[in-house]
Every structure is written in C-alpha cells, then in structure tokens.
Amino acid sequence: MEMLMRIGLIGTGTIGGGVVEIIESKASQYREKLNVNLELACICAKSDEEVAPYKAKGYTTTTDAMQMIADPSIDVIIELAGGYEMPRKWILAALENKKHVVTANKAMIAKYGHEIFPLAEKNGCHVLFEAAVGGGIPIIRSIQEGFVGSEVEHLSCIINGTCNYILSRMGESGLSFESALQEAQENGFAERNPTFDIEGIDSAHKTAILASLCSGKYVDFEKIHVTGVSKITAEDILNAKELGYKIKLLGIYGRGADGSVDARVHPCLVPQDHLLASVDGVLNAVYLQCDNLGQTLQTGAGAGRLPTASAVVADLVSLARSTDVGSRKPLPMGWFTKENPATLIPVDETYSRYYLRFTTKDSCGVLASITGIFSQNNISIESIIQKDVKDPGKVSIVVVSERCKESKILAALEAIDSLSSIAEKSQMIRFLK
C-alpha cells in the first residue's frame, strides 16, 4: 500500500529550491521502489515574488506559514527558512498541531531544541534534522541508530566548509588568512560577513548537537569553549607542516570517566597520517572512536543546495516509511532538555600537547626567560625552533610542549606575554593528539 505524505514547505531559498527539485525528479522512483508518495501540498515563502515561480507550476502557495501549519491535511512541515525566533514559533506550532517536522536549522536546534524535543515526544511526533549537521553526511542517523551497538568515546569533526577551505588554501598556496578568505568569498564559499563561520559559531552549534547525541545529555552551545580561525597565520600553517601536521578547525567531543562531557571548538594540529588530515577544501568530515566499532570516518559535502536538500529528502522518506500505519515510534529525544544538562569539563582542565609561537625582540636572554617560565609552571618542552621573521630585530620562537594541563599553559603564557622582550601576543594551538 502506497504511503501518501502531504508536505508543507517553509523556505524557497537555496536548500528549499533543491528539495523541490529532488522531489520532482525522484517522485515516481519513490512511489515505485519505496511505496512512498511525497506530495508538496503547500509551499510558503515571505513574499508573493518568492512563491510566484512555484505558483506558476501549479503548486499551492502561501505567505502565511501559520495558516499552512493549521491545515489538517498536511502531515509534515519542512522548515528551511533559517534564523532563530520565527522557525521556533513555526516548529512549536506544528508540534502542537501533531505534525511531524523536518529541518536543516542547526542554530535553532542548538538554541531551542530543549523546548522542541520534549514537546515532540509528548505529542508523539518525529523531529528529523539530518541536514542540520554535516549537510549530506548521514551522521545524525548514524549516531542515533547505526552506532547503537557501540558507545562514542571520542568525536572530532571538520564541520564548517568555509574554514576548511581557508585553511586548505593557506596550506596549499601559502596564502595569508585574509587572502584565503577573500578567495573563499569570491568563489561563494564564504559569506560577505563571515564572522559566523570563521569565529567558530557555526561549528559550535553543530558540535553541541553531536555532543548531546553522543552523551545523551543537553550540551548548551553557549557554554562550550569556542575559538575560530581568524588568528591563524601563514607562518603557523608552515610551521605545522614542518612538524608533520595540518591545522584544522575541529569540533571535539569526549566523555569523562565520571560521565562529564568535553565539548569544544578550536583549531588543532592534526597529524598528516590521521584520517582527518586528508579532508580538504569545502568537504566536511566526522571522525569517531567507539568502544566496539573502533575508528570510523564519514566525509562528504557539508553544505550546498543539493547535498543538504538530499539529506532533507532522505528524512522525508524515512519519516514516510516510519509513520506508515504507525509502524515506528519517534526516536526518544525528550532527554534534550535543560533539566538534563551535561556536566562540561572546563577547557583549562583538559590536557593536550601545545604548539606555542612567540614573536620576540632579538635580544640576549629571551629564550632563557621563556624556558624559565615553563620550568616554573612544571611544563616539559618537547622541542624548540628559532626562526627569523621579516621584521628586522624580531625573532620567532616555536615551542612544542609535552602533554600537560591547559591551566598550566595559560599561566605560563600570561607570564611570558608580560615580558618586555615579547613583541606580539603569543599564539597557542592545541594538538589533536
């Protein structure tokens, strides 16, 4: 028996248009092979101009999302408009009306998931959001279903294509951060205002969602440590390469022995033989270490019209098959609430090896002063490299520390930066391992 699912779509932008395109091109295939009939019952956008092309093709259209949500003949609402407040309003209204929801809105999920998921569970509704993290990479379904025979012990992800493109181009061509960013903007890989991406905010939303799924606790993205890539220099990229590493912006999750959660976003030096090191350009990747499964890597297009739209449509097909004659209950997400918060490990309580770059005046005793401060803070040094820099009278000193607690490194850097011989604020980048 064919399963008919009537869909209300909010948002006709890049991804919304891609969803319509995929459904139009594959509708007959879904009916024939999967017994699923995906019917776009109504398409909603902000203005008559935006919905006009779809109205001309015979679709029912509207500019009133709440009116569409109230239509009892519509089974599922797709939210692809973006933003925080209005999507929250629409999704909560849809759930109150006992409608299922599919969204690609990672920012809204990260900010308001603690309201959305308990309501969905209360009303027996599905909320699917595969496209919210990693675009076309099926990481959400993998964690929720594919890895249930294992527990995720560690996760590292390259989850922002803009940053990965910038860092890749800096490594390939020796570009400055500013030049690589400009190139990314010219190629459509970075927004005119790139702050959301380059300062790690987008990665924080996605990392918090993944950390929540892995831990079964609510991880508040506003409470995790976030450092972006805007302070990474061509010199850092070159130094990392000489050490046998690449610099990547990573979202990181780890579990403590006591059930606490290590969740953060920052640049990392990744060994060149690590699975993540080969993920360049605008590609995304999620690397997981599981207790029974071992190591696994999922990689693919993390954004873009059709990859993201493909993930949305995959959720629709899964939803249609799951709700056929009530055959499958929604995955429980009611635990995603502020009453079930993760105990976050403060970043200064974490341990790592550290890449430290100091720009100093070319004078006697500077290196001795720096190493003396490391000794005072009980920090062992793995290696020291001294280099000339373009500015006359200055020297670049690169120190690689042994593994130690971050609070010790921060105390040492504060003392070093206060030295009169330090010409610029010191650089610190963590090693992945």
Side-chain angles (χ1 to χ4, degrees):
M1 180 179 174
E2 183 178 278
M3 173 62 189
L4 171 64
M5 174 166 282
R6 287 174 54 81
I7 300 162
L9 170 63
I10 304 175
T12 58
T14 300
I15 301 170
V19 168
V20 175
E21 181 181 334
I22 291 174
I23 291 176
E24 287 178 340
S25 66
K26 295 187 176 295
S28 60
Q29 178 181 326
Y30 296 147
R31 286 195 298 269
E32 294 168 7
K33 295 184 177 181
L34 302 174
N35 290 326
V36 170
N37 184 3
L38 301 181
E39 179 184 324
L40 283 166
C42 189
I43 297 175
C44 177
K46 288 186 295 185
S47 67
D48 291 330
E49 290 76 17
E50 289 175 290
V51 297
Y54 299 99
K55 188 173 184 179
K57 293 173 72 172
Y59 289 106
T60 298
T61 63
T62 184
T63 57
D64 187 342
M66 294 301 284
Q67 182 183 50
M68 182 179 73
I69 290 167
D71 183 345
S73 72
I74 291 177
D75 303 302
V76 57
I77 297 297
I78 307 176
E79 184 281 305
L80 299 174
Y84 289 106
E85 300 305 330
M86 290 308 298
R88 167 180 174 265
K89 178 181 177 182
W90 295 328
I91 289 175
L92 291 175
L95 296 173
E96 290 287 6
N97 279 272
K98 302 264 175 40
K99 298 186 189 301
H100 307 295
V101 171
V102 173
T103 181
N105 194 332
K106 70 272 182 178
M108 187 273 303
I109 289 290
K111 188 168 185 177
Y112 292 121
H114 66 275
E115 297 177 6
I116 290 165
F117 292 119
L119 179 59
E121 189 161 302
K122 175 185 174 184
N123 289 341
C125 296
H126 292 255
V127 176
L128 301 181
F129 52 102
E130 186 65 72
V133 180
I137 304 172
I139 186 60
I140 301 297
R141 189 167 287 111
S142 294
I143 293 174
Q144 289 182 317
E145 300 181 50
F147 298 155
V148 293
S150 298
E151 185 170 354
V152 178
E153 299 174 327
H154 173 86
L155 178 150
S156 299
C157 56
I158 297 169
I159 210 71
N160 183 274
T162 298
C163 292
N164 203 39
Y165 178 86
I166 290 170
L167 294 174
S168 296
R169 291 295 295 135
M170 291 174 71
E172 293 164 359
S173 301
L175 299 177
S176 67
F177 174 83
E178 293 74 18
S179 297
L181 171 59
Q182 182 179 349
E183 183 179 287
Q185 290 171 320
E186 291 170 351
N187 289 327
F189 300 141
E191 302 289 342
R192 182 174 299 177
N193 180 356
T195 303
F196 195 74
D197 293 312
I198 65 173
E199 297 304 339
I201 302 168
D202 174 73
S203 296
H205 288 146
K206 298 170 182 175
T207 300
I209 292 170
L210 292 176
S212 296
L213 291 171
C214 290
S215 65
K217 298 284 186 178
Y218 169 62
V219 176
D220 187 343
F221 81 94
E222 293 182 328
K223 294 181 179 179
I224 68 176
H225 173 83
V226 181
T227 302
V229 298
S230 59
K231 299 297 190 294
I232 301 295
T233 68
E235 183 181 0
D236 296 321
I237 297 287
L238 180 60
N239 290 339
K241 185 176 181 180
E242 291 178 358
L243 290 167
Y245 292 80
K246 286 186 175 181
I247 296 178
K248 299 288 187 183
L249 180 69
L250 298 184
I252 292 173
Y253 159 79
R255 61 176 188 180
D258 59 354
S260 57
V261 170
D262 179 14
R264 44 199 161 97
V265 172
H266 52 71
C268 273
L269 274 80
V270 178
Q272 290 182 357
D273 60 355
H274 192 281
L275 291 172
L276 286 172
S278 61
V279 180
D280 290 324
V282 294
L283 288 177
N284 280 194
V286 182
Y287 166 84
L288 304 102
Q289 177 70 46
C290 305
D291 56 357
N292 294 324
L293 182 64
Q295 300 178 20
T296 182
L297 179 76
Q298 294 192 5
T299 185
R305 175 184 174 87
L306 293 180
T308 306
S310 176
V312 171
V313 175
D315 274 347
L316 287 172
V317 172
S318 175
L319 181 59
R321 301 181 74 192
S322 297
T323 54
D324 187 12
V325 298
S327 62
R328 184 178 177 196
K329 294 180 179 180
L331 285 166
M333 286 284 291
W335 53 264
F336 195 104
T337 171
K338 287 186 175 180
E339 283 67 52
N340 184 38
T343 300
L344 294 176
I345 300 172
V347 69
D348 62 359
E349 294 293 314
T350 61
Y351 287 77
S352 180
R353 294 164 61 230
Y354 296 88
Y355 161 96
L356 307 156
R357 177 173 56 79
F358 307 104
T359 303
T360 74
K361 297 174 184 177
D362 189 4
S363 56
C364 295
V366 175
L367 185 56
S369 298
I370 292 173
T371 55
I373 290 172
F374 277 109
S375 178
Q376 291 166 17
N377 286 275
N378 296 314
I379 299 170
S380 298
I381 294 173
E382 182 179 303
S383 64
I384 299 176
I385 305 170
Q386 185 169 317
K387 294 187 170 185
D388 293 327
V389 295
K390 293 181 180 179
D391 294 341
K394 293 182 180 178
V395 172
S396 178
I397 299 173
V398 175
V399 174
V400 175
S401 79
E402 296 282 2
R403 183 177 172 82
C404 68
K405 196 173 186 179
E406 184 149 323
S407 57
K408 290 185 177 183
I409 289 289
L410 296 177
L413 288 181
E414 183 177 2
I416 291 169
D417 282 342
S418 68
L419 297 173
S420 60
S421 54
I422 297 297
E424 299 175 9
K425 184 175 175 58
S426 302
Q427 174 72 292
M428 180 192 80
I429 308 174
R430 303 163 185 88
F431 283 80
L432 177 58
K433 61 178 184 177

